[in-house]
Amino acid sequence: MKIYADNAATTRMSRTAIEAMIPYMENVYGNPSSLYSIGQEAKEALDQAREQVAAVINADPKEILFTSGGSEADNQALRSAAAIGARKGKKHIISSAFEHHAILHTLNRLEKEGFEVTLLPVHENGLIVPAELEAAIREDTCLVTIMTANNEIGTIQPIGEIGEICKRHGVIFHTDAVQAVGHLPIDVKEMNIDMLSASAHKFHGPKGVGFLFARKGIALTNLIEGGAQEKGKRAGTENVPGIMSMAAALKEASDHLGENAAHQTALRDRLIRGLLEIPHSALNGDAQRRLPGNANFCFEGIEGESLLLLLDDKGISASSGSACTSGSLDPSHVLLAIGRVHDVAHGSLRLSLGEDITEEEVDYIIQSVKEVVEYLRSFSPVWRDLMAGKTPFIL
Ligand SMILES: *Cc1c(COP(=O)(O)O)cnc(C)c1O
């Protein structure tokens, strides 16, 4: 059996998304900035895509800026809010300890440039407490950036409450919604979101394209200077096939949001029940307030990398930590942020299920993980010490 269970890293492009690209590579290949008809046709297509994308999050098309993906959108959002803040002498930013590196590394840069950053704790359940956010807001706070759903443990933050607090205090609220868009309902007006980042390859669109929503009135800072594309805020000839494909993928995902979520949630819970039968195992992040397809575990006495390789031999693609940090031996900053100790964080497994996951596949995953964990423990010196009572069990 072949099971792709790493949809948080990236997704397979849907047939709809692939087909939506083709006309813009073969026939309507004009430059949207050109005045002749084949260029204007491309421009009209872009306008349509912008409307479609905006509609899904209840934004105005003028508030959507196409980017090369989630990382670029995150960078531009943070740089823009920081510049707006700096002009008013406000140089304090609030975020959380388990954001994506596109946020955390940009915040590191801003700190070097004289900004002060407060990282809120995410607690054991992988959630921030809105009252703690409110208490952290100061006179000089210019930005709150909190992700909608975490890419490793899938926990969903109380975005509406956070938005309401930020609005009340007159602070710009950005959310990295890369894991959420196309999977959870999002309404930027109702949730008082000022800026939001999204990426096509996380909802069955192509890699290398995404968008930034920025509420009217928020002055954006360019990351890329050049031509007047994207109202002069993001130079470079638009990725027309990618954008058209993203819009089609997003429409398809949002048209089936409820049914996909119900299907995935039921099978995710079956997976969680099955894997928690393994002794000395734990689920990472709140059991309910998590993405429909995300399950993330720690197994004591084993090492995540070996687990992944053996699962790969059984045809299962999964991950330990995120794609960006696996390959390094550091334990995930997300698992450390929710209080897992180093040794336990090393034995983690993220399974992110697709919309087409079946019960049979979930049962195969459960069986395979059980076998592999038992096998790895059978010759693990760490496990031997635990069993001998030389070191205490943590889980
Ligand atoms: C994937 C991801 C990103 C980065 O998006 P890219 O399009 O790959 O640059 C940012 N934030 C989160 C939460 C993600 O999951």
Side-chain angles (χ1 to χ4, degrees):
M1 214 182 275
K2 280 263 174 226
I3 305 169
Y4 182 74
D6 202 14
N7 286 275
T10 195
T11 58
R12 168 171 145 172
M13 280 183 73
S14 70
R15 189 43 51 193
T16 309
I18 294 170
E19 276 165 11
M21 300 183 95
I22 296 171
Y24 299 92
M25 299 191 282
E26 253 177 6
N27 306 314
V28 190
Y29 50 79
N31 187 320
S33 302
S34 300
L35 294 177
Y36 40 75
S37 54
I38 192 176
Q40 286 307 294
E41 260 178 76
K43 185 185 179 306
E44 278 159 30
L46 277 184
D47 290 344
Q48 236 175 49
R50 209 180 299 277
E51 273 171 37
Q52 238 176 42
V53 166
V56 169
I57 59 167
N58 192 23
D60 188 283
K62 292 193 194 77
E63 300 172 316
I64 303 294
L65 183 93
F66 294 127
T67 67
S68 68
S71 300
E72 185 187 334
D74 281 344
N75 274 258
Q76 190 162 15
L78 268 50
R79 288 261 161 216
S80 302
I84 294 167
R87 286 196 287 273
K88 298 178 185 159
K90 296 181 169 189
K91 299 186 88 173
H92 175 238
I93 299 171
I94 300 173
S95 187
S96 83
F98 77 165
E99 297 293 310
H100 190 272
H101 285 132
I103 298 289
L104 291 177
H105 290 176
T106 306
L107 291 176
N108 285 344
R109 281 291 187 90
L110 289 169
E111 273 181 322
K112 292 199 180 94
E113 293 168 22
F115 286 82
E116 196 185 327
V117 177
T118 300
L119 294 183
L120 297 172
V122 280
H123 302 286
E124 208 179 321
N125 59 3
L127 296 169
I128 68 149
V129 175
E132 291 179 0
L133 164 70
E134 184 154 25
I137 294 178
R138 312 191 312 211
E139 275 300 302
D140 63 342
T141 305
C142 61
L143 167 70
V144 168
T145 175
I146 304 280
M147 69 201 314
T148 306
N150 184 268
N151 47 305
E152 289 188 39
I153 61 172
T155 47
I156 302 166
Q157 300 293 355
I159 291 302
E161 276 176 75
I162 297 171
E164 194 271 323
I165 291 169
C166 291
K167 186 181 178 184
R168 199 148 28 79
H169 290 268
V171 177
I172 292 176
F173 173 40
H174 166 258
T175 186
D176 174 339
V178 173
Q179 290 289 332
V181 170
H183 302 279
L184 300 173
I186 299 219
D187 182 322
V188 292
K189 291 200 176 78
E190 198 183 289
M191 296 170 155
N192 291 303
I193 297 168
D194 296 310
M195 287 199 271
L196 170 148
S197 309
S199 177
H201 76 102
K202 303 289 174 72
F203 51 79
H204 303 281
K207 294 164 183 58
V209 59
F211 66 89
L212 171 65
F213 154 78
R215 188 178 50 72
K216 244 177 258 139
I218 291 188
L220 292 176
T221 299
N222 284 54
L223 299 182
I224 304 174
E225 301 288 350
Q229 292 92 352
E230 300 298 300
K231 292 190 288 170
K233 296 302 175 193
R234 202 270 179 185
T237 303
E238 300 87 342
N239 174 4
V240 183
I243 292 167
M244 298 313 290
S245 179
M246 167 167 70
L250 184 55
K251 182 172 185 330
E252 186 176 47
S254 64
D255 284 349
H256 301 279
L257 205 78
E259 60 197 89
N260 283 341
H263 173 74
Q264 285 171 291
T265 302
L267 288 175
R268 174 202 73 194
D269 290 343
R270 183 183 181 88
L271 179 66
I272 292 173
R273 277 194 305 275
L275 288 187
L276 289 183
E277 285 172 7
I278 296 175
H280 305 285
S281 63
L283 179 71
N284 292 313
D286 194 87
Q288 263 83 48
R289 301 194 53 176
R290 63 192 307 129
L291 288 168
N294 176 293
N296 188 314
F297 305 88
C298 280
F299 303 107
E300 200 156 6
I302 67 155
E303 200 243 322
E305 277 73 30
S306 329
L307 177 60
L308 292 188
L309 293 176
L310 292 170
L311 286 177
D312 189 27
D313 286 344
K314 292 180 181 287
I316 300 168
S317 311
S319 133
S320 171
S322 68
C324 328
T325 42
S326 48
S328 84
L329 283 175
D330 294 337
S332 141
H333 71 287
V334 172
L335 297 179
L336 297 180
I338 61 168
R340 294 287 184 217
V341 298
H342 264 64
D343 284 354
V344 168
H346 265 305
S348 75
L349 173 69
R350 177 183 73 185
L351 293 156
S352 40
L353 310 176
E355 289 80 355
D356 56 355
I357 187 79
T358 65
E359 192 171 297
E360 193 195 358
E361 288 172 331
V362 163
D363 291 346
Y364 178 76
I365 296 174
I366 295 171
Q367 191 50 40
S368 305
V369 174
K370 282 181 173 172
E371 282 169 21
V372 171
V373 168
E374 196 173 331
Y375 170 72
L376 287 171
R377 281 174 173 174
S378 72
F379 56 82
S380 152
V382 177
W383 184 252
R384 200 179 50 224
D385 286 352
L386 287 165
M387 291 304 279
K390 283 189 194 160
T391 46
F393 281 106
I394 294 164
L395 302 180

